[in-house]
Amino acid sequence: MHVAARELLDVVPGAVAVTSGADHVVEALDPRGAPLLGSAVAVGRPLRGTVVPELLDALDTARRTGEPIGAAGVRCSPLGDAGLLLRAEDDRDRARAAGFQQLTEQLSSAATPEEIGRLTATTAAALIGADACAAYRRGEGSDVLEVLHHNGVPGRTADRYARVPLRRGRPMSDAVLTGEPVWLEDAAQWRARYPEMAPVGVSEGHEACACLPLRVDDRDLGAVVFRFHRPRAFDPDDREFLVAVAALCAQALDRARLYTAEHQARAAAERERDRMAFLAQASRLMEAPLSVEERLRQLADLAVKGVADWSAVHLVRGSRVEKVTVAHLDPAKVEFVERLEQRYPPNPDAPGGAVEVARTGVPVVMHEVPDELLVENAVDETHLELIRAIGMRSAIVVPLLVRGRSLGALTLVQAESGEHFVDEDLTFVGQLAATAALALDNAALYEQQRLIARTLQNALLPHALPMVPGVACAGRYRPPSPDLADVYVGGDLYDVHEDAERGRWALTVADVCGKGPEAAALTALIRHTVHAEVGHGLAPAEVVRRVNAAVLRHHGGARSRFATLAHAAMTVHPEGATIRLVNGGHPPGLVLRGDRVEWVDVPGRLVGVFPDVDLAETEVRLAPGDALLLYTDGVVEARGPEGWFGDDRLADLLASLAGASADRIADGVLAAVSEFQGGRLRDDVALLVVRSEPTRPAAYRPGTE
């Protein structure tokens, strides 16, 4: 063993010692090894008990696993029953370690798959000395690899292989499908293993190639291909390093994938929230006591403030379809279109236009407005030039349907914003059109609703709130000013009722879309459903789900009828009160603790829109003297000379009411909102205050205040 060990020291670059046996007896020692291993190390003596524990553990691990391992400045590589000790790192290893650390830092700050692909194809490729590199990603469930970034690849080749179908018998595909790297060390191996791909593999002067899968756990994220101009023998260290680089890039790509998915989900949720708020605003607008034409003009104006660059509304009047309004944020552009239509009256038989949609009731979505369509509808070259000047990019036209009849059509157009409509937008725009159509149809019921409004409203609210031991409750409702309130029934609701069987109390505040008999029916449905389901002992989240199902069931899934709802179960105890609160798209509640105000913002979807609602319960604890305020959007969306009443003003107002009773808090909020609007409310306001009453001293007697 000693002679062979001595020879190993001579032929293996950087070797400093050879050991044998479980105690790692030194069989051969290079004099340069002493500084690394220690002065006590000598030929014939075991390292166990002589070297530092970290190195001894590495020796034992390498001997047991058969895998090389580094520790304490030394790299241990197994040789059967012996351990070959090498210098820790040569210059290449040190450079690789530094480069690997740099790549790790760069990848940790990369947020997108494209940025990670760029770092892989540039920094990582330079780190291992590759002459060309391409990083690919694989979409979830896709059988195609798409290039993220390439470097050192000629443009024609890069374009040709921008998308690569997964197909066995090709090196990159084999790496992805098997999860194992493919090593091709020279042109001969290309021709032997992949004869069909060899001409491409060795093109542009390349020979060696390493194809490594980008995989995390069982998720195939893509692949990276490193190419070299010269033949390259991928020794174990090379392969280990390349696999480590690929694993590092895969981890970064997986993190970016999760980040992108989270970002997209958040953006989708925010877009849905904004659209639901827009629908609620449009619904309130369409229920206002205005003429049909004025309602539609305001709807078109609202649309160009949030969902489109252009909007137009057409109505069916007898045998004709007439344009009621066209809207754009720039009045000059509206005037331009009006002059254009005066000079070139629109063709009523144009396919896919508002007239055809209004007559047939069939919606149209144009993801891209093709120039061929403009050419087809242009009367002459001047007309074509003027149409093109509008800059239409995408359009969607939906009918105004109600009870199987088409009342007209709503047209939305994207132009200078560069946005494009997609098929999913049809649902949202359809909801908007349904809101408008329903409002138009309801206009005929104006006088009838005016007569019954007050009677219905009074029937929807509790006559008095129950007495809750240890807790003071105060509810308030105020309809809009008389010139508005007498038109429709408001849809705001507050309620408190006892669940005696379980020793708790149910709290409810709701805001139903719209007003009038239908809103009253929906409000009544919500209130009575809550009472019934609370009586069954259900948790707050399940109560709201049952309400959602009832609304969908009784209103046939018409998304123009929906509501926001805050519902809670309250338990009173000596330390105060515990409230389990759930929110169905309702404004966030506020908790007053001393003179501090805390927001209680619980995520949740509107009631009556989606079959499945994702709801979360949160626990609010009220110590003695603390108060919870629940309210409808008529509070924060109140508009006065100073703008919106808003969240900040409400929080400051509540803080100024520190120490006040529940009734004083309710009256103070209502008075402030009314005063902010000059004494004329423009929307219903409902609010509920629940205050945990401080414990009276033992010597307290009623009437001694």
Side-chain angles (χ1 to χ4, degrees):
M1 175 70 180
H2 181 73
V3 175
R6 183 69 257 176
E7 292 176 351
L8 282 172
L9 290 182
D10 295 335
V11 300
V12 177
V16 296
V18 177
T19 69
S20 66
D23 289 332
H24 310 293
V25 176
V26 178
E27 298 292 342
L29 178 66
D30 188 288
R32 294 169 299 177
L36 288 172
L37 304 177
S39 59
V41 175
V43 175
R45 295 183 62 181
L47 293 181
R48 189 173 299 281
T50 303
V51 297
V52 296
E54 180 184 358
L55 176 55
L56 190 61
D57 290 343
L59 285 164
D60 290 339
T61 301
R63 184 173 182 274
R64 182 180 68 255
T65 64
E67 298 291 336
I69 186 171
V74 173
R75 184 173 180 81
C76 310
S77 296
L79 292 173
D81 192 38
L84 174 63
L85 305 182
L86 304 178
R87 290 188 184 278
E89 296 175 338
D90 56 21
D91 292 340
R92 185 192 69 169
D93 292 332
R94 282 192 294 271
R96 281 184 171 181
F100 194 85
Q101 179 63 29
Q102 179 186 7
L103 179 62
T104 301
E105 294 172 356
Q106 291 177 344
L107 287 173
S108 67
S109 61
T112 66
E114 290 74 17
E115 178 65 9
I116 291 166
R118 185 189 65 80
L119 289 170
T120 303
T122 54
T123 304
L127 181 61
I128 63 176
D131 297 302
C133 179
Y136 289 82
R137 74 172 157 194
R138 181 185 186 184
E140 186 173 354
S142 173
D143 290 329
V144 175
L145 298 174
E146 297 181 350
V147 71
L148 288 169
H149 197 88
H150 57 78
N151 184 42
V153 181
R156 183 178 300 177
T157 302
D159 293 341
R160 180 180 178 186
Y161 293 100
R163 289 172 53 86
V164 180
L166 285 173
R167 186 179 305 167
R168 288 191 179 274
R170 296 184 174 183
M172 185 168 63
S173 294
D174 286 350
V176 173
L177 295 173
T178 65
E180 297 293 333
V182 173
W183 313 99
L184 298 167
E185 299 183 339
D186 52 34
Q189 289 192 11
W190 267 106
R191 289 189 289 270
R193 295 181 58 184
Y194 297 98
E196 293 184 5
M197 294 294 297
V200 176
V202 299
S203 63
E204 289 107 25
H206 293 114
E207 289 232 9
C209 178
C211 301
L212 297 102
L214 299 177
R215 173 177 287 193
V216 175
D217 297 330
D218 58 346
R219 297 187 297 280
D220 290 324
L221 305 178
V224 57
V225 180
F226 299 106
R227 301 177 70 187
F228 307 84
H229 286 315
R230 296 181 179 181
R232 180 164 179 158
F234 297 106
D235 60 32
D237 285 345
D238 254 0
R239 297 190 180 199
E240 180 182 356
F241 184 70
L242 283 166
V243 169
V245 169
L248 183 65
C249 296
Q251 290 287 350
L253 193 60
D254 191 46
R255 184 178 63 252
R257 178 187 64 83
L258 295 175
Y259 173 82
T260 301
E262 179 184 358
H263 180 75
Q264 291 174 344
R266 186 183 299 113
E270 291 174 353
R271 186 182 187 191
E272 179 181 331
R273 180 200 62 196
D274 293 343
R275 285 188 165 186
M276 291 301 101
F278 182 88
L279 286 175
Q281 187 177 359
S283 179
R284 290 192 295 270
L285 171 65
M286 295 305 295
E287 294 286 357
L290 304 169
S291 67
V292 169
E293 287 79 5
E294 184 58 30
R295 292 187 195 191
L296 295 178
R297 276 192 290 271
Q298 292 197 17
L299 176 65
D301 290 340
L302 181 64
V304 299
K305 294 177 182 178
V307 297
D309 296 322
W310 290 88
S311 66
V313 182
H314 290 71
L315 284 182
V316 176
R317 287 173 171 161
S319 60
R320 298 181 302 164
V321 177
E322 297 180 359
K323 182 189 70 179
V324 175
T325 185
V326 173
H328 190 281
L329 290 177
D330 185 352
K333 293 189 175 184
V334 176
E335 294 177 5
F336 172 82
V337 169
E338 290 176 349
R339 291 195 303 269
L340 176 64
E341 292 186 348
Q342 290 174 0
R343 182 175 178 181
Y344 298 98
N347 179 8
D349 299 320
V355 175
E356 181 183 37
V357 170
R359 287 173 174 168
T360 64
V362 178
V364 172
V365 179
M366 284 184 281
H367 311 106
E368 294 277 354
V369 176
D371 190 66
E372 294 79 4
L373 181 62
L374 304 183
V375 173
E376 180 181 345
N377 286 278
V379 175
D380 52 35
E381 287 298 324
T382 301
H383 188 204
L384 178 60
E385 182 179 350
L386 293 173
I387 296 176
R388 285 172 173 166
I390 299 174
M392 293 183 291
R393 293 178 178 269
S394 182
I396 188 167
V397 190
V398 293
L400 302 175
L401 295 175
V402 62
R403 295 201 304 271
R405 295 185 300 116
S406 176
L407 306 181
L410 170 65
T411 303
L412 300 179
V413 175
Q414 301 288 17
E416 62 271 11
S417 67
E419 299 290 334
H420 290 78
F421 290 112
V422 295
D423 291 337
E424 290 76 10
D425 292 321
L426 184 59
T427 300
F428 165 67
V429 180
Q431 294 169 9
L432 181 61
T435 300
L438 185 62
L440 295 178
D441 193 54
N442 286 344
L445 303 176
Y446 179 83
E447 289 300 327
Q448 180 182 357
Q449 292 174 338
R450 188 168 185 260
L451 294 175
I452 63 175
R454 288 185 178 274
T455 303
L456 285 176
Q457 189 70 72
N458 292 336
L460 296 176
L461 297 171
H463 297 292
L465 293 180
M467 298 294 294
V468 181
V471 171
C473 300
R476 298 291 186 271
Y477 170 79
R478 179 170 294 180
S481 300
D483 56 339
L484 296 177
D486 289 345
V487 179
Y488 295 126
V489 180
D492 288 8
L493 164 71
Y494 70 86
D495 198 9
V496 177
H497 70 278
E498 184 179 12
D499 181 7
E501 184 175 346
R502 277 154 288 275
R504 60 189 184 186
W505 301 81
L507 314 175
T508 304
V509 175
D511 185 356
V512 170
C513 165
K515 299 173 178 63
E518 292 187 13
L522 185 55
T523 305
L525 173 66
I526 291 173
R527 185 184 182 197
H528 293 301
T529 302
V530 168
H531 276 251
E533 300 303 343
V534 167
H536 293 154
L538 300 180
E542 186 58 30
V543 170
V544 176
R545 290 190 184 95
R546 297 289 182 92
V547 171
N548 183 68
V551 173
L552 289 173
R553 183 170 60 252
H554 285 79
H555 289 268
R559 292 189 176 183
S560 59
R561 310 305 305 181
F562 56 86
T564 67
L565 173 64
H567 175 68
M570 178 176 67
T571 304
V572 183
H573 44 75
E575 297 77 23
T578 299
I579 299 172
R580 298 291 300 177
L581 178 66
V582 65
N583 187 310
H586 202 73
L590 293 93
V591 176
L592 178 63
R593 304 188 191 278
D595 60 354
R596 294 183 299 105
V597 174
E598 300 174 4
W599 289 95
V600 186
D601 195 357
V602 187
R605 285 183 168 180
L606 295 172
V607 172
V609 177
F610 302 99
D612 298 315
V613 288
D614 189 11
L615 300 169
E617 292 183 5
T618 190
E619 183 175 279
V620 178
R621 290 183 175 271
L622 299 182
D626 293 348
L628 170 67
L629 170 65
L630 300 175
Y631 55 94
T632 56
D633 61 8
V635 173
V636 292
E637 293 183 7
R639 188 169 180 84
E642 300 176 30
W644 299 105
F645 191 87
D647 296 337
D648 293 340
R649 187 176 275 106
L650 177 59
D652 293 342
L653 170 64
L654 188 60
S656 71
L657 295 169
S661 66
D663 282 313
R664 282 187 57 201
I665 292 174
D667 290 337
V669 172
L670 195 58
V673 174
S674 177
E675 181 180 352
F676 184 77
Q677 299 179 92
R680 296 173 57 84
L681 295 181
R682 291 167 176 80
D683 193 7
D684 297 354
V685 171
L687 52 89
L688 177 65
V689 179
V690 176
R691 185 174 187 268
S692 177
E693 294 297 277
T695 304
R696 296 291 188 180
Y700 168 78
R701 294 290 186 274
T704 63
E705 294 91 337

